[in-house]
Amino acid sequence: MLPVTRTQPPFAITRASHVTLAVTDLPASRDFYRDVIGLVVTDESADAVHLRGLEEAVHHSLTLQKAESPRAEQVGFRVETDDDIDRAEHWLAAAGLPHRRVEVPFQGSTLQFVDAVGAHIELTSRMDVVERRMQDFHTYRAGAPQRLDHFQVVTHDVQAATDFYAGLGMRLSEYTAADGTDELWGSWLEVKGNTHDLVFTNGRGPRLHHFAYTVPDATSLIHAADVAGSLGFGDEIDRGPGRHGISNALFLYLRDPDQHRIELFTTHYQFIDLEAPPIRWDVSNPRRSQVWGMPASRRWFFEASEFPEQPVREPLLAATPATLEDYLGLH
Amino acid sequence: MLPVTRTQPPFAITRASHVTLAVTDLPASRDFYRDVIGLVVTDESADAVHLRGLEEAVHHSLTLQKAESPRAEQVGFRVETDDDIDRAEHWLAAAGLPHRRVEVPFQGSTLQFVDAVGAHIELTSRMDVVERRMQDFHTYRAGAPQRLDHFQVVTHDVQAATDFYAGLGMRLSEYTAADGTDELWGSWLEVKGNTHDLVFTNGRGPRLHHFAYTVPDATSLIHAADVAGSLGFGDEIDRGPGRHGISNALFLYLRDPDQHRIELFTTHYQFIDLEAPPIRWDVSNPRRSQVWGMPASRRWFFEASEFPEQPVREPLLAATPATLEDYLGLH
Amino acid sequence: MLPVTRTQPPFAITRASHVTLAVTDLPASRDFYRDVIGLVVTDESADAVHLRGLEEAVHHSLTLQKAESPRAEQVGFRVETDDDIDRAEHWLAAAGLPHRRVEVPFQGSTLQFVDAVGAHIELTSRMDVVERRMQDFHTYRAGAPQRLDHFQVVTHDVQAATDFYAGLGMRLSEYTAADGTDELWGSWLEVKGNTHDLVFTNGRGPRLHHFAYTVPDATSLIHAADVAGSLGFGDEIDRGPGRHGISNALFLYLRDPDQHRIELFTTHYQFIDLEAPPIRWDVSNPRRSQVWGMPASRRWFFEASEFPEQPVREPLLAATPATLEDYLGLH
Amino acid sequence: MLPVTRTQPPFAITRASHVTLAVTDLPASRDFYRDVIGLVVTDESADAVHLRGLEEAVHHSLTLQKAESPRAEQVGFRVETDDDIDRAEHWLAAAGLPHRRVEVPFQGSTLQFVDAVGAHIELTSRMDVVERRMQDFHTYRAGAPQRLDHFQVVTHDVQAATDFYAGLGMRLSEYTAADGTDELWGSWLEVKGNTHDLVFTNGRGPRLHHFAYTVPDATSLIHAADVAGSLGFGDEIDRGPGRHGISNALFLYLRDPDQHRIELFTTHYQFIDLEAPPIRWDVSNPRRSQVWGMPASRRWFFEASEFPEQPVREPLLAATPATLEDYLGLH
């Protein structure tokens, strides 16, 4: 039996689409995302830098905002039309969730809300259209990231988070559960037809663990690591390269100058047909996290970006020391 | 102005999913698709072989049927549920198109019809679920094809074909048109969120030009060519490797023992947001077909698989000799 | 029985090392080799540009010299020490071959001569040492060529050319011969421990067919093609990608603005142990030239760079029309 | 000033060529090297299995011998001719080093000796010639290792080991030294024209740290890791993937069923010209060991294969705890 029921609300989220980060040194962060990661700068001002992946026709998928302290400001999703924004607004009001309409440069109708576990979510229906750059091969840098793909959020209550997004039409593709139970430790939720747009894992939250861009292949991933090394950011790789059992991603995680985390990964598998059941992994199975690869660093496990004004809560499911050591691969 | 209007019928096609080919030497064809291409054999009998890509949880995406002469039997798409099949049946009846319910082994409710330009189309709502094999890395062969992705059909009337599928909810992502006009020469239509599930190009039709599987990366594509070479099928590459301007695919085309054509390609770009307009290419622009690469062979241009009992008609748009030479890159 | 006898003269050539080309538009050629190919510019003046591969510690492996008309000026090899240059000079005098000492900027003792079939050869014992750049990954462009590897020269007399270089200590690794004979059509000669430093093929000569740089892998080769395409040089690929049977090279050939030809290829195999015999290929076996891949263009077969003041002679072995068509793969 | 003087003895070593390992479960070891690593089995008996890389024309580069306990039996090098074996025998006698002529199946004249620091070395002049398999692309498995490339030996006295092999004609390409001194901690020695055939590092020795095979590219390296994972050997990766500063190798280390260690790596750079000086790295510079990548495991640093009957000695240069932690990257 699946631990989650999916329903379609009167509006449709179509994909994970953009993220807004508060950063303390705007030029340093811009240089990092442009030169070490390889994103394209679409627009730049004294207060903000907008970037996108090489294939993206949207104005931005990453917004850096100058601030006093680093924060994950908004995790962004797309809906199809302005009408979806209107219907989402009504639905949020009925659900009693904090929300507001906002004007965001280069975006169409935009709505922000706080979800069931405290993450800051932004929905928009449109962005300014810019040129896709994936055929400007001579401008490729580093990992040549093509598009923003998904988010991972640490939460104190994975079940509540999963139920909330299943209620927004998201579908569970894979999940981790305590051995012999359906106690959810992690959930991989999707809406765009592959394994995830949004992931929740158990821990102190809400915090944004990472946002992820696709890269074309394993060679691009290694080249991204090489470029990080040659530009002096080799130590900012806090996990990988390795292969996740869940979703089959070949991954590399890097920390930006404010220690926000970005994942570069090759793509996951298609997940469209309804008869395919979600894949269950025991949380004690180390292959769920890596089929091979060196253990993740402690900072990969314990560090993440907080949202503004959202208190961080201890997880409902407490890791025993034994489990934790296993989780870290430190036996 | 777009040359095509999209409407949603009362049923929803979700993706290009499977193809049925009539082949004259079943073991030879099985060996080709298993050893030269790298597909997984799911099931095998005296009359038919079913194969799938490495990541596919569906029973089959390619069915080979023993026959007296080679034909493209069915081009297959998925719908979400059995109800979609019922609604499709009513819709086809109202539209006056030939159609029939059929029992197909390993599939759920299945409906076959002949489309507006004579192609044989099969819709199904479900397949038997089998294990995804993309993490059995030690079993990878040749190009390690992951999943069936799209079809290309040659038709005498690209405009009619495009209008028909836009009326089934498909969206135009790219198209070719005669210079300075909106006279359609080719249309790339999608439903699953990237550039195409179904392509129509101008020529003698209806004929299936090729069906396409994704491969993980450029290295896999080259390895597929190397394996074709070492197994004695090097001459069965009739185009590529090269890079299409349209959709940005890195491609390799091979002919099977009956001269059915399969494309292996790395993936295309995401195409979900509604504000992104389709890309228009003049049919005289050689970059639409290849950004680089040796000219395609004559047989790539002129040979394709006929459908059973469907007369092949001359194209409405006649290529002038000059255009043809240009088309072939033979200047 | 081998068609060639190898002897060691009193000096030792160690490797193919550098090439000097006369070019008509110096900035255009520099841009091509820097941006489309990805070489590093070491030095630049009004009359000459010196470039090198990413891993090379030598000052230059490619020298472009401004001239009225395009020519292959010098094909360069390294010897170990200044003493080798002295001994080579005596040897050439005794052999009665045209030769001269020259001063070449950034090089140690340098000696030029005309070989037995009219090719212009330059030997040097030393170059200025510069920094290897292969770990400046963020500066990689296009195919990221690592080092100059070998030359191919078209000659009217392959046997004479082969005998000459075998007499300079070069070893035959592979060769093509007319069916059932040992009539040499092509010879692959090496000195540095893999399959070739110098190749001779039958045709109108002496002309330099191409010089070759290694690239790290198939992905780099495809990226080189993509970059050529995106910078408008897609049509300057006159062969490939494809796989040579001989030496197992995965190859791509491009023409520079003066139509000099450069090959990018992944590496060949090690060839050190004396017991390994050379590999013989019948000239009628198409796999010698390509295991797979589209036929080479006519210009790849018939165009090459002449040496200054060296008359081009018709080949001793005349191709019959039938053979030629086969050679071109135009059946 | 270089810390090492190179001289040429009256015989010439041409390359690192083969290794003999004592293993406790012959079928398990064969399966590992054939299926997880991808070597070709040339010959198999009740007592021994001989394997080679895909491009190798020599009968074997790895010999597994059934034994009671695991040992590194012989580290093998090639000389050019039988005469070199004779001259080496005289030279070893004059040097007073333990040595003996032996008959080894499938090999020509063979001589074994114990070197200055206790490593077991075997020289041979010839092996049976077998077919190169690099163009049997359909038989490629795992990392598709092409050829044995080099050895790394842990020794209590790096300076003595380095002096010994410099006296056999090997050339220093890179080395590590204590800060501000020329106290050798590690030496990379070569004879075949790229950065190393034989490496010595400071520690308890003599022990064979690893032997290394080349793989074609980064994608092959990742595929090797994936295959190790899917065959249940993911935990046997004890370091990597990562990039060494020294020699620029992209590396992956795996342990076999007896915990012998094999390295798979993409190739290093060419090192032929005499004017290129060796590269010096301070032992405190972490980039020498990795430009990027997770810290090596403890077992990578401290475990290695002993030679038969050779007492293991404590290193002359003692690591301080601070240095060690730094060395391990455990700060």
Side-chain angles (χ1 to χ4, degrees):
Chain A
M1 204 199 81
L2 298 190
V4 175
T5 306
R6 179 183 170 215
T7 57
Q8 189 61 47
F11 64 98
I13 292 173
T14 58
R15 67 178 186 96
S17 63
H18 62 289
V19 61
T20 305
L21 301 178
V23 302
T24 59
D25 182 338
L26 196 55
S29 293
R30 175 205 57 205
D31 290 355
F32 176 83
Y33 285 106
R34 184 191 59 201
D35 299 339
V36 181
I37 301 301
L39 294 177
V40 176
V41 175
T42 306
D43 189 84
E44 192 171 354
S45 71
D47 296 326
V49 177
H50 294 77
L51 304 104
R52 67 185 196 275
L54 284 154
E55 74 167 52
E56 292 183 310
V58 291
H59 181 274
H60 55 270
S61 50
L62 171 62
T63 302
L64 307 174
Q65 288 182 341
K66 188 168 169 42
E68 291 302 305
S69 60
R71 285 288 180 276
E73 290 289 338
Q74 297 291 335
V75 165
F77 294 88
R78 289 295 304 267
V79 294
E80 279 210 336
T81 65
D82 290 354
D83 288 349
D84 287 294
I85 293 291
D86 293 342
R87 288 189 293 260
E89 192 172 23
H90 295 141
W91 187 92
L92 289 163
L97 285 165
H99 62 281
R100 58 173 181 173
R101 291 278 190 142
V102 290
E103 293 290 319
V104 178
F106 315 113
Q107 297 185 187
S109 298
T110 303
L111 181 66
Q112 296 178 342
F113 68 95
V114 179
D115 75 8
V117 291
H120 283 211
I121 308 296
E122 181 176 290
L123 303 179
T124 190
S125 57
R126 206 162 6 93
M127 280 196 188
D128 288 1
V129 175
V130 293
E131 195 184 6
R132 298 184 195 275
R133 297 283 289 274
M134 74 273 187
Q135 291 187 322
D136 292 352
F137 295 104
H138 58 290
T139 69
Y140 275 37
R141 299 183 191 207
Q146 297 293 315
R147 62 178 177 271
L148 186 137
D149 184 82
H150 67 262
F151 305 106
Q152 183 166 325
V153 173
V154 190
T155 178
H156 75 293
D157 188 346
V158 173
Q159 184 71 54
T162 305
D163 289 341
F164 179 79
Y165 284 97
L168 295 191
M170 290 197 182
R171 184 174 167 213
L172 193 69
S173 63
E174 306 206 15
Y175 63 102
T176 58
D179 302 19
T181 75
D182 272 337
E183 202 176 61
L184 270 184
W185 276 65
S187 61
W188 278 252
L189 293 154
E190 71 81 29
V191 67
K192 73 177 169 307
N194 52 24
T195 63
H196 44 292
D197 290 85
L198 183 58
V199 177
F200 288 100
T201 52
N202 182 62
R204 299 177 60 253
R207 293 181 300 157
L208 178 62
H209 187 269
H210 67 263
F211 56 100
Y213 278 83
T214 61
V215 296
D217 50 38
T219 306
S220 301
L221 199 85
I222 295 297
H223 189 54
D226 280 335
V227 168
S230 69
L231 288 174
F233 288 82
D235 289 342
E236 297 302 344
I237 296 173
D238 72 357
R239 186 170 191 182
R243 175 77 69 180
H244 288 314
I246 296 173
S247 89
N248 199 36
L250 182 74
F251 60 83
L252 182 76
Y253 294 90
L254 298 106
R255 308 297 289 275
D256 81 5
D258 285 296
Q259 297 298 293
H260 297 301
R261 186 182 291 107
I262 181 172
E263 181 189 11
L264 300 178
F265 79 117
T266 58
T267 196
H268 21 190
Y269 58 88
Q270 198 172 70
F271 190 75
I272 294 178
D273 306 335
L274 294 186
E275 72 270 26
I279 298 175
R280 182 191 191 285
W281 300 80
D282 270 353
V283 75
S284 65
N285 179 356
R287 289 173 63 88
R288 82 198 185 297
S289 180
Q290 59 197 32
V291 176
W292 57 266
M294 293 292 102
S297 64
R298 276 188 174 269
R299 53 185 183 144
W300 188 89
F301 277 108
F302 296 115
E303 297 176 11
S305 300
E306 298 185 13
F307 292 97
E309 299 160 33
Q310 292 294 328
V312 171
R313 303 171 62 177
E314 292 301 312
L316 295 185
L317 306 177
T320 62
T323 304
L324 179 63
E325 291 308 290
D326 179 73
Y327 198 53
L328 289 169
L330 292 174
H331 32 243
Chain B
M1 205 198 83
L2 298 190
V4 176
T5 305
R6 180 184 170 212
T7 57
Q8 189 61 48
F11 64 97
I13 292 173
T14 59
R15 66 179 186 95
S17 63
H18 62 290
V19 61
T20 305
L21 300 178
V23 302
T24 58
D25 182 339
L26 195 55
S29 292
R30 175 205 58 205
D31 290 355
F32 175 83
Y33 285 106
R34 184 191 59 201
D35 299 339
V36 182
I37 301 300
L39 294 176
V40 176
V41 175
T42 306
D43 188 84
E44 191 171 354
S45 71
D47 297 325
V49 177
H50 294 77
L51 303 104
R52 67 184 196 276
L54 284 154
E55 73 167 52
E56 293 183 307
V58 290
H59 181 274
H60 55 268
S61 51
L62 171 62
T63 301
L64 306 174
Q65 288 182 342
K66 189 168 169 40
E68 290 302 305
S69 59
R71 285 289 179 276
E73 290 289 338
Q74 297 291 335
V75 165
F77 294 88
R78 289 295 304 267
V79 295
E80 279 211 336
T81 66
D82 290 352
D83 288 349
D84 287 293
I85 294 291
D86 293 342
R87 288 190 293 260
E89 192 173 23
H90 295 142
W91 187 91
L92 289 162
L97 286 165
H99 63 282
R100 59 176 180 171
R101 290 278 190 144
V102 289
E103 293 290 318
V104 179
F106 316 111
Q107 296 186 186
S109 298
T110 302
L111 181 66
Q112 296 178 343
F113 68 96
V114 179
D115 75 8
V117 291
H120 284 211
I121 308 296
E122 180 175 289
L123 303 180
T124 191
S125 57
R126 206 163 6 93
M127 280 196 188
D128 287 2
V129 174
V130 293
E131 196 185 5
R132 297 184 196 275
R133 297 283 289 274
M134 74 274 186
Q135 291 187 323
D136 292 354
F137 295 105
H138 57 290
T139 69
Y140 275 37
R141 299 182 192 207
Q146 297 293 315
R147 62 179 178 271
L148 187 138
D149 185 81
H150 67 262
F151 305 106
Q152 183 166 326
V153 173
V154 189
T155 179
H156 74 292
D157 189 345
V158 174
Q159 183 71 53
T162 305
D163 289 341
F164 178 79
Y165 284 96
L168 295 191
M170 289 198 182
R171 184 174 167 214
L172 192 69
S173 63
E174 307 205 15
Y175 63 103
T176 57
D179 301 20
T181 75
D182 272 337
E183 201 177 60
L184 270 184
W185 277 65
S187 61
W188 278 252
L189 293 154
E190 70 81 29
V191 67
K192 72 178 171 307
N194 51 24
T195 62
H196 44 292
D197 290 85
L198 183 57
V199 177
F200 288 100
T201 52
N202 181 61
R204 297 179 59 254
R207 293 181 301 156
L208 178 63
H209 186 270
H210 68 264
F211 56 100
Y213 278 83
T214 61
V215 295
D217 50 38
T219 306
S220 300
L221 199 84
I222 295 297
H223 189 54
D226 279 336
V227 168
S230 70
L231 287 175
F233 289 82
D235 290 342
E236 297 302 344
I237 296 173
D238 72 356
R239 186 170 190 183
R243 174 76 70 179
H244 288 313
I246 296 172
S247 90
N248 198 37
L250 182 74
F251 61 84
L252 182 76
Y253 295 90
L254 299 105
R255 307 297 289 274
D256 82 5
D258 285 297
Q259 298 297 294
H260 297 301
R261 186 182 290 106
I262 181 172
E263 181 189 10
L264 300 179
F265 80 116
T266 58
T267 196
H268 21 190
Y269 57 87
Q270 198 173 70
F271 190 75
I272 294 178
D273 307 334
L274 294 186
E275 71 270 27
I279 297 174
R280 182 192 191 284
W281 299 80
D282 270 354
V283 76
S284 66
N285 179 356
R287 288 174 63 87
R288 81 196 186 299
S289 179
Q290 59 198 32
V291 175
W292 55 266
M294 293 293 102
S297 65
R298 276 189 174 267
R299 54 185 183 144
W300 189 89
F301 277 108
F302 295 114
E303 297 176 11
S305 300
E306 298 185 12
F307 292 96
E309 298 160 32
Q310 292 294 329
V312 171
R313 302 172 62 178
E314 292 301 313
L316 295 186
L317 305 178
T320 62
T323 303
L324 179 63
E325 291 310 289
D326 178 71
Y327 199 51
L328 290 169
L330 292 174
H331 29 244
Chain C
M1 203 198 83
L2 298 191
V4 175
T5 306
R6 179 183 169 213
T7 57
Q8 188 61 47
F11 64 96
I13 291 174
T14 58
R15 66 178 186 97
S17 64
H18 62 290
V19 61
T20 305
L21 301 178
V23 302
T24 58
D25 181 339
L26 195 54
S29 293
R30 175 205 57 205
D31 290 356
F32 175 84
Y33 284 105
R34 184 190 60 200
D35 299 338
V36 182
I37 301 301
L39 294 177
V40 176
V41 175
T42 306
D43 189 84
E44 191 171 354
S45 71
D47 296 327
V49 177
H50 293 77
L51 304 104
R52 67 186 196 274
L54 283 154
E55 74 167 52
E56 293 183 309
V58 291
H59 182 274
H60 56 270
S61 50
L62 171 62
T63 302
L64 306 173
Q65 288 182 343
K66 190 168 168 40
E68 291 302 305
S69 60
R71 285 288 179 278
E73 290 289 339
Q74 297 291 334
V75 164
F77 293 89
R78 289 295 304 266
V79 294
E80 278 211 336
T81 66
D82 290 354
D83 288 349
D84 287 293
I85 293 292
D86 293 341
R87 289 190 293 261
E89 192 172 22
H90 295 141
W91 188 92
L92 288 162
L97 285 165
H99 64 281
R100 58 174 180 171
R101 289 278 191 144
V102 290
E103 294 290 319
V104 178
F106 316 111
Q107 296 186 187
S109 297
T110 303
L111 180 66
Q112 296 178 342
F113 68 96
V114 178
D115 75 9
V117 291
H120 284 213
I121 308 296
E122 179 176 290
L123 303 179
T124 191
S125 57
R126 207 162 6 93
M127 280 195 188
D128 288 2
V129 175
V130 293
E131 195 185 6
R132 298 184 195 274
R133 298 283 289 275
M134 74 273 188
Q135 291 186 322
D136 292 352
F137 295 104
H138 57 290
T139 69
Y140 275 37
R141 300 181 192 208
Q146 296 293 315
R147 61 178 178 271
L148 186 137
D149 184 81
H150 67 262
F151 305 106
Q152 183 166 325
V153 172
V154 189
T155 177
H156 75 293
D157 189 346
V158 173
Q159 183 70 54
T162 305
D163 289 341
F164 179 79
Y165 284 96
L168 295 191
M170 290 197 183
R171 184 174 167 214
L172 193 69
S173 63
E174 307 205 15
Y175 64 102
T176 58
D179 302 21
T181 76
D182 272 337
E183 202 176 60
L184 270 184
W185 277 64
S187 61
W188 278 252
L189 294 154
E190 71 82 28
V191 68
K192 72 179 169 307
N194 52 23
T195 62
H196 44 292
D197 290 85
L198 183 58
V199 177
F200 288 100
T201 52
N202 181 61
R204 299 178 58 253
R207 292 180 301 156
L208 177 63
H209 187 269
H210 68 264
F211 56 101
Y213 278 83
T214 61
V215 295
D217 51 37
T219 306
S220 301
L221 199 85
I222 296 295
H223 189 54
D226 279 336
V227 168
S230 70
L231 288 174
F233 288 83
D235 289 341
E236 296 303 344
I237 296 173
D238 73 357
R239 187 170 191 183
R243 174 77 69 179
H244 288 314
I246 296 173
S247 90
N248 199 36
L250 182 74
F251 60 84
L252 182 76
Y253 294 90
L254 298 105
R255 307 296 289 275
D256 82 3
D258 285 296
Q259 297 297 294
H260 296 301
R261 184 182 292 106
I262 181 172
E263 181 189 11
L264 300 179
F265 80 118
T266 58
T267 196
H268 20 190
Y269 58 87
Q270 198 173 71
F271 190 75
I272 294 178
D273 307 334
L274 293 185
E275 72 270 26
I279 298 175
R280 182 192 192 284
W281 299 80
D282 271 353
V283 75
S284 66
N285 178 356
R287 288 174 64 87
R288 83 200 183 295
S289 179
Q290 59 197 33
V291 177
W292 56 266
M294 293 294 102
S297 65
R298 275 187 176 269
R299 54 185 183 144
W300 188 89
F301 277 109
F302 295 115
E303 297 176 10
S305 300
E306 298 185 13
F307 292 96
E309 298 161 33
Q310 292 295 329
V312 171
R313 302 172 62 178
E314 292 302 312
L316 295 185
L317 305 178
T320 62
T323 304
L324 179 62
E325 291 308 290
D326 179 71
Y327 198 52
L328 289 170
L330 292 175
H331 32 246
Chain D
M1 202 198 84
L2 298 190
V4 175
T5 305
R6 179 184 171 214
T7 57
Q8 188 62 49
F11 63 98
I13 291 173
T14 58
R15 67 179 186 96
S17 63
H18 62 290
V19 61
T20 305
L21 302 178
V23 302
T24 59
D25 182 339
L26 195 55
S29 293
R30 174 205 58 205
D31 289 356
F32 176 83
Y33 284 106
R34 184 191 60 200
D35 299 338
V36 182
I37 301 301
L39 293 177
V40 176
V41 175
T42 306
D43 189 84
E44 191 171 355
S45 71
D47 297 326
V49 177
H50 294 77
L51 303 104
R52 67 185 196 275
L54 284 154
E55 74 167 53
E56 293 183 310
V58 291
H59 181 274
H60 55 269
S61 50
L62 171 63
T63 302
L64 306 174
Q65 289 183 342
K66 189 168 168 41
E68 291 302 305
S69 60
R71 284 288 180 277
E73 290 289 339
Q74 297 290 335
V75 165
F77 293 89
R78 289 294 304 267
V79 295
E80 279 211 336
T81 66
D82 290 353
D83 288 349
D84 287 293
I85 293 291
D86 294 341
R87 289 189 293 261
E89 192 172 23
H90 295 142
W91 188 90
L92 289 163
L97 285 165
H99 64 282
R100 58 175 181 171
R101 289 280 190 143
V102 290
E103 293 290 318
V104 179
F106 316 111
Q107 295 185 188
S109 298
T110 303
L111 181 66
Q112 295 178 342
F113 68 96
V114 178
D115 75 9
V117 291
H120 284 212
I121 308 296
E122 180 176 290
L123 302 180
T124 192
S125 58
R126 206 164 6 94
M127 281 196 187
D128 288 2
V129 174
V130 293
E131 194 185 7
R132 298 184 195 274
R133 297 284 289 274
M134 75 274 186
Q135 291 186 323
D136 292 352
F137 295 104
H138 56 291
T139 69
Y140 275 37
R141 298 181 193 209
Q146 296 293 316
R147 62 178 178 271
L148 187 136
D149 184 82
H150 68 262
F151 305 106
Q152 183 166 326
V153 173
V154 190
T155 178
H156 75 291
D157 189 346
V158 174
Q159 183 71 54
T162 305
D163 289 341
F164 178 80
Y165 285 96
L168 294 191
M170 290 198 183
R171 183 173 169 216
L172 192 70
S173 63
E174 306 205 16
Y175 63 104
T176 58
D179 302 19
T181 76
D182 272 338
E183 201 176 61
L184 269 184
W185 277 64
S187 60
W188 279 252
L189 293 153
E190 70 82 27
V191 68
K192 72 179 170 308
N194 52 24
T195 63
H196 43 294
D197 289 85
L198 183 57
V199 177
F200 288 100
T201 52
N202 181 61
R204 299 178 59 252
R207 293 180 300 156
L208 177 62
H209 187 270
H210 68 263
F211 57 101
Y213 278 83
T214 61
V215 295
D217 50 38
T219 306
S220 301
L221 199 84
I222 295 296
H223 189 55
D226 279 335
V227 168
S230 69
L231 288 175
F233 289 83
D235 289 342
E236 297 302 346
I237 296 172
D238 73 356
R239 186 171 191 182
R243 175 77 69 180
H244 288 314
I246 296 173
S247 90
N248 198 36
L250 182 74
F251 61 83
L252 182 76
Y253 295 91
L254 298 105
R255 308 297 288 274
D256 82 4
D258 285 297
Q259 298 297 294
H260 297 301
R261 186 182 291 106
I262 181 171
E263 181 190 11
L264 300 178
F265 80 117
T266 58
T267 196
H268 21 190
Y269 58 88
Q270 198 172 69
F271 190 75
I272 294 177
D273 307 334
L274 294 185
E275 72 269 26
I279 298 175
R280 182 192 191 283
W281 299 80
D282 270 353
V283 76
S284 66
N285 178 356
R287 289 174 63 88
R288 81 197 184 299
S289 179
Q290 60 197 32
V291 177
W292 57 265
M294 293 294 101
S297 65
R298 276 189 175 268
R299 54 185 183 145
W300 188 90
F301 277 108
F302 296 114
E303 298 176 11
S305 300
E306 298 185 13
F307 292 96
E309 298 160 33
Q310 291 295 329
V312 171
R313 303 171 62 177
E314 293 301 312
L316 295 185
L317 306 178
T320 62
T323 304
L324 179 63
E325 292 307 290
D326 179 71
Y327 198 52
L328 290 169
L330 292 174
H331 31 244

